Amino acid sequence: MVTSAFSPYALRLSLLFGLSLSCAIPSAIADEFSYPAFQTSQNDFGGVGLIQMPSGRVAPEGEFTFGATYNNDYLHYNVSLQLFPWLETTIRYTLVQDVLYSEDPSFSGDTKYTDKGIDFKLRLLEESYWLPETAIGIRDFGGTGLFDGEYLAASKHWGPFDFTLGLGWGYLGNSANISGDKNLGNDCDRNTEFKGKGGTVDFERWFSGCTAVFGGIEYQSPWRPIRLKLEYDGNDYSSDFPVTFAGINLIQDSPWNLGILYRLDNWGDVRLSYERGNTWTFGFNLNTNFNTLATSWRDTPKPTYAPDLKKHDLNLEDWQNIAEALHANAGFKNPTIYADEKTVTVLASQEKYRNRKEGYERAAIILSNHLPTSPTTGAPAFDEYRLIETGHDLPVTETIVRTKAFDDVARYNYVDAAIDDAITTQAPDAPQGQLIAQNQNPWDISISPNLQQSFGGSEGFYLYNIGLNTGASYQMNDQWELGGSLYLNLLDNYDKFKYDVPPDGTDLKRVRTLVRQYIDGNAIRVNNLQLTWMDQLAENWYAQAYGGYLEMMFAGAGSEILYRPMQTDWAIGLDLNYVIQRDPDTQLGLFRDEVHTDPITGRDYRVQTGALTGHATFYYQPRWSFLPNTLMKISAGRYLTEDIGMTFDLSKQFDSGVIAGAFVTLTNLSADEYGEGSYNKGFYISIPYDLMTVKPSRNRATISWLPLTRDGGQMLNRKYQLFTITDAREPWYSRKIAQ
């Protein structure tokens, strides 16, 4: 067992820190109004903590933080998200300053060695009068082992002070001041080798090796922006990667670290720390909260409820005006309207409001204001309005508005009158009555920006391309559509790629790792060109079939069927496709030969010249209290490079509508067959447009992050997903925005 002694330097440092706080000691037990409210802060690695060490605390649910930390040894980039009140997640990239990515300068140049890491922290206890907030955590649990470690930490608040005491293993406990024999190695005989090709979870080495106690104090000064931190480090840095791999000097002169943090209002902070008794470290964080993000719209005002008691009939022009008002004000795009003696039926997709009730109320007001009334009673001439919401012209849900009940609601004839009192939502029936007004524009034109990016590559830490997707579709009838899109490449640095295929000896068909050829070869590319058929086969059954150029890298034909009962939290889908890989050297050509030669490495590689791929998918929105507002997707089937396996996808939706998710794909490929990373995994964030614009919208922007693009576990990027199209049956992507 090895213990750490207090050096004279450490003693002086701790005395200086104590002196700087001494003026606050008499006020330490002052009431809560004497000091600014306590807020959590991030450590150097990302995640709530002290300086190098974590604490027992977690951030408020939905807290999202991007941070960077720099010193002479490491540059950390990290993203941390408080996914649930009990779960903190962190993704981190670390550039090792004194080590190059490879020993071949013609391959990686001056690119720094880059380590990818994923952390999580589980809160075990919330703080109470007697008990500290307590958490257990794993650092770098799916990485290469450079920073992997485990810990148990507890934090207790007292006045302006927050005290933390913890126990660390691995990287967090390498000082071995509790237990561990350093004579067995700097890691106390902990297995630091990673399995397979990296990226796997090495459960067997958790809570093994050196063990150390760590702790510290965080002090909130009377001036809100300033906080001070004093930390006793559990690591002695003797087994850090620059030391063991490159012989770099990371001597620790003191286990005490001292830091100061300056809060930048509610959106970030900057911090400066003095660590190991010899190293200055600078960092910053930018943060927001996905639960409290608010919209700021310039919306068209809701019409005033004012039925015309003198209107007793309508002409075709009046009906057309109603259709235009429903489109412009209520968000029902290009509606088709039917009417009989007692009912008006509107078929349209809701393109504007995530809060469907807003659309229902606006539609009911427009219809009531424009439709005739009874000449004898002045009451609405129609008994009900049927609002059938469609997705890609498929009837998905039907909301019935009872006109007399809505009249009472709109006039506030009783206390707490609400639109819910006048509506009923059910599975849609066929429209009844005479066709009155119909969409006369079968064309749909779109344009959207596109960002494709990768991090931590051998040729450069950040590779990107920015472009525009321009799309057009022609609706031939209710079932058939012809559509396509062009991709215009505006800016990229993909010329940094030194090879066409990964130089790791894997022999999979290059279904995704040829991406550079597709992006860098043409400024304009046909991204998609396909004929699509969709229909509702029965009350709960939907289907589609399609053929053509299905995505940037594949052409072929396929179909999908979905069973989705109305207002249930589950659905089952099945898709089946036959695909051929597109030739990146031509706009519309396909690969004919399976084997090709990489001109850089001289190695042969294979492409996909024809294969069946498809999956059965189970969708489930659980109602469990510990997983609120989540969607699970489990897919099983055959992937593009002909491997067979399963994909597990879990996403969480916050009050603002932002969705954060992660997926893992495990197939019958071994780690050696798959290559670096061992298996496919990734993360994504989906952001509603109306959080970024001044108008309400149901559209979304999705940012994806894959630690590494490989060929195993890859799905076809289909243009349409029936689960998304039928979202109104049990809303997920278009849920009501929190008020």
Side-chain angles (χ1 to χ4, degrees), residues 254-265:
S254 170
W256 292 95
N257 303 324
L258 177 64
I260 183 170
L261 180 145
Y262 183 87
R263 184 76 176 176
L264 302 170
D265 200 17

Side-chain angles (χ1 to χ4, degrees), residues 96 98-103 113 239-248:
V96 182
D98 297 312
V99 181
L100 295 180
Y101 197 97
S102 78
E103 297 179 358
Y113 183 91
S239 62
D240 274 41
F241 182 70
V243 177
T244 59
F245 181 80
I248 305 301

Side-chain angles (χ1 to χ4, degrees), residues 12-39:
R12 290 195 299 268
L13 187 60
S14 60
L15 288 174
L16 286 172
F17 186 79
L19 184 61
S20 68
L21 304 182
S22 60
C23 62
I25 295 298
S27 303
I29 57 174
D31 62 62
E32 60 184 293
F33 300 105
S34 300
Y35 281 83
F38 175 77
Q39 294 177 290

Side-chain angles (χ1 to χ4, degrees), residues 2-4 173-177 182 210-213 233-236 252:
V2 178
T3 58
S4 298
N174 273 338
S175 66
N177 59 37
K182 300 288 277 190
C210 305
T211 307
V213 65
D233 202 333
N235 184 20
D236 66 0
Q252 183 187 58

Side-chain angles (χ1 to χ4, degrees), residues 598-673:
D598 180 0
I600 303 299
T601 64
R603 286 197 303 115
D604 289 340
Y605 64 92
R606 297 184 299 147
V607 297
Q608 186 57 271
T609 55
L612 282 173
T613 179
H615 295 82
T617 302
F618 177 69
Y619 307 86
Y620 181 50
Q621 298 183 46
R623 305 301 185 215
W624 307 330
S625 59
F626 68 97
L627 286 179
N629 303 320
T630 54
L631 171 66
M632 295 179 180
K633 292 189 289 185
I634 303 174
S635 301
R638 195 176 195 227
Y639 297 84
L640 289 172
T641 201
E642 301 173 40
D643 48 334
I644 298 172
M646 299 183 70
T647 296
F648 304 86
D649 186 306
L650 175 66
S651 55
K652 161 68 185 274
Q653 185 164 173
F654 297 94
D655 291 347
S656 64
V658 171
I659 295 173
F663 69 88
V664 172
T665 298
L666 302 173
T667 73
N668 59 347
L669 294 174
S670 68
D672 287 336
E673 290 172 313

Side-chain angles (χ1 to χ4, degrees), residues 96-125:
V96 182
Q97 301 282 39
D98 297 312
V99 181
L100 295 180
Y101 197 97
S102 78
E103 297 179 358
D104 183 0
S106 66
F107 173 61
S108 62
D110 59 357
T111 303
K112 305 295 184 184
Y113 183 91
T114 305
D115 179 72
K116 313 169 187 70
I118 303 171
D119 309 345
F120 69 84
K121 179 193 289 187
L122 298 173
R123 186 182 67 189
L124 303 177
L125 294 173

